[in-house]
Amino acid sequence: MPAKDEPVVIKKYANRRLYNTGTSTYVTLEDLAEMVKKGEDFTVQDAKTGEDITHPVLTQIIFELENKDGQNMLPIPFLRQLIAFYGDQMQMIVPSFLEQSMIAFAKEQERLREQMKTAFGKSPIDVMKMTPMKAIEEQTRRNIEMFQNAMRMFTPFPQSGGSNGAQAETAKKDTSETSSELQELKEQIAAMQRKIDSLG
C-alpha cells in the first residue's frame, strides 16, 4: 500500500492489463478515468522496466473518451492548432499555457455550475442567452490576456533617448527576428480571439 500522500502505482503489463497496487486488483482505462474524476492521484509504470508511462496512458484515456458518442470536448480547430504547435518554437510555452488555463477554469467551474442551474431554471428565452457560455467566453478571454502578458516578457524594450539611444538601437537590431516571431504569435492569438467571438 502506498503512503497516504503518495500516488497509487498502476502497473501495466505486456498483455496491456493494468494492475492497481493500492487495491491489488486489475483495472481498466475507465477505472483510471474515474480515479481522475475523484481526484485520486496515481502514476502508471511499465511492469517490466519500471518506466513512468503515465502521460501516454492518460492520453489514451482522452482518446477513448473522445471516441465515445456525444463526449467530444476537443473541437477540430483546437486540435488543428495544437498539432501545428508540435515542433514549433512556441511548443515549450503551450503546455504551461494550457495547464494554467485549465487550473483557472477549474477554479471557475463551481460558479459556472451555479450559473447553469440558474439559467436552466428560467424561461427558454433566458436559457438561449447562454449566460454560462458568456462566463466561459470571459474566462477564455482572461486566459488569452494572461498568455499575452506572459509573452510581453519576450518583447524588446522600447528605444530610449539620450545616451542610451545607441544601446537601444543595437538591442532593436538584435531582436528584430524575435519581434517578427512575436508579431506572428499575436496574429495567431488574434485569430483565436475571432474564433472565440464567433462562438459567443
Side-chain angles (χ1 to χ4, degrees), residues 15 25 28 34 37 48 75 106 116-117 119 123 126 130 137 144 169 171 185 189 194 200:
N15 59 7
T25 58
T28 64
E34 286 302 315
K37 293 176 182 178
K48 184 176 182 180
M116 288 284 282
K117 291 179 183 177
S123 66
D126 290 331
M130 296 299 288
E137 180 182 348
I144 290 177
E169 183 62 26
L185 178 62
I189 292 174
R194 286 193 293 272

Side-chain angles (χ1 to χ4, degrees), residues 153-195:
M153 295 190 315
F154 298 95
T155 304
F157 292 105
Q159 181 174 345
S160 59
S163 59
N164 294 329
Q167 293 178 347
E169 183 62 26
T170 302
K172 183 177 180 180
K173 290 179 180 178
D174 292 340
T175 57
S176 59
E177 184 176 345
T178 304
S179 298
S180 176
E181 294 166 356
L182 287 173
Q183 181 60 36
E184 182 180 346
L185 178 62
K186 288 178 182 178
E187 291 173 359
Q188 292 175 357
I189 292 174
M192 290 173 62
Q193 186 65 57
R194 286 193 293 272
K195 290 179 182 178

Side-chain angles (χ1 to χ4, degrees), residues 83-128:
I83 291 171
F85 274 120
Y86 281 96
D88 187 89
Q89 58 186 352
M90 302 307 297
Q91 179 177 342
M92 58 181 290
I93 299 177
V94 174
S96 178
F97 171 65
L98 293 177
E99 181 179 6
Q100 292 304 316
S101 295
M102 289 304 295
I103 290 174
F105 182 79
K107 289 179 180 178
E108 293 286 324
Q109 68 175 333
E110 287 305 319
R111 183 169 65 86
L112 293 174
R113 289 181 197 276
E114 288 301 318
Q115 289 186 350
M116 288 284 282
K117 291 179 183 177
T118 302
F120 284 97
K122 294 182 179 180
S123 66
I125 295 178
D126 290 331
V127 173
M128 289 177 65

Side-chain angles (χ1 to χ4, degrees), residues 1-10 20-24 41-43:
M1 292 290 290
K4 186 176 180 181
D5 296 328
E6 292 182 359
V8 174
V9 175
I10 308 294
N20 185 329
T21 61
T23 59
S24 299
D41 192 15
F42 63 84
T43 60

